[in-house]
Amino acid sequence: MRPIQLPEPPGPKLRTPEIFEGGVYGVVRRAVVIGNGSPGSENQSIGLVCALGLADKHVLYRVTRPKGGLNEWLHWLPVSLHKNLYYIVRQICVLLKYRGQKVLPQPAENGGSVGLKCVLEADVQQIVTMVRQNFEKDGPILVVASGRDTISVASSIKQLASDNVFVVQILHPRLHLNRFDLVITPKHDYYPLTREAQKQVPQFIHRWITPREPPDSHVVLTVGALHQVDAGALRNAASAWRDEFAPLPKPLLVVNIGGPTGNCRYGVDLAKQLTTNLLSVLPSCGSIRICFSNKTPEKVSNVIAKGLGGNPKVYIWDGQEPNPHMGHLAWADAFVVTADSVSMISEVCSTGKPVYIMGAERCTWKFSEFHKSLKDRGVVRPFTGSENISESWSYPPLNETAEAASRVHKALAERGWRLRP
């Protein structure tokens, strides 16, 4: 007679202990962010870390350069060479100034500017030692870096602690992409490989222009920049800024003004045209709020303030805290943005609201490609002054930080690692 198999009694589903799922050695719980002091670059790294659920589990280290005087002409040098050269020049100046006198050793400076002495310096050996010492207890660490000055630090960490870290480099490092586990960069960084770009430079210069090869499987391409703006952040900002923005007459047009760059040049002429265009659309606006960045030339801000500052519909932010930027993103009905800042444009394009660009025709090289890609997607339109701001239009919001985070999850899984939920 065959025995009767009775069903098991119902009970709670037992979770497989973490040690049998790869253990602590396969679970990423913490992140190290390598910054360069640029708000735009560091915002990309922190945005990615937050999208991965590590908002309160990361430490920021910063690569700093000496600043002021001659140093402003040495930023094209690698960071380590720049610091060494600065130290030598500084010692020579001290010896010449105090010739024949006993001189006490000069203290090392961290970046040469106020405030940076409180920031953790991105020391490779220190970070690698920390990663190795804590690996048994905390497992591997995600390293996220962004910007040219962070490349050597991030790649060195990868080289010295490859079994303990997963290194993500944001923005194209130009050479040696195999020194990183993942590279996240805008598509327009590959503009130099296009036929149109190569027509713009002499043949003998082609070999010096990077990148030199198309992206491979461990390169994640985005349209614009990563950032910290998502649906949750906008909901929180809408609540936090309700008292200030809810009473404003609608539609609310927010104007973000940056500053000229090497590939997007403008000055007083653009400021005058922008002022004229804003006066033209003023009748269709309930309110206009204008923000200048710390890169806006004074002559540009003066022209706009003189032309619009006295209008009762217009408010110009004075630069004092609190910064209303997140409130603007949450409450604006439409945006006008100058063409110079990829980060600024990427953030407003994540809202799905109308975005008008001022000065895109002045941008050259890869910046022109960036604006073309946005226009082709229907995400932005040129600001001409003939718009009716009360007539809204929309598009699928750019959601690239979340998409990049998804690619990080996938790359970690291919390595047998995962982020702790």
Side-chain angles (χ1 to χ4, degrees), residues 49 53 69 97 105 112 309 321 337 354:
V49 166
K97 182 177 180 180
E321 294 293 340
V337 187

Side-chain angles (χ1 to χ4, degrees), residues 88 119 138 147 187 220 228 253 270 272 305 321 338 367 378:
I88 293 170
V119 176
D138 297 325
K187 292 179 182 177
V220 178
Q228 300 183 57
L253 177 65
L270 185 78
K272 290 179 179 178
E321 294 293 340
T338 53
F367 284 88

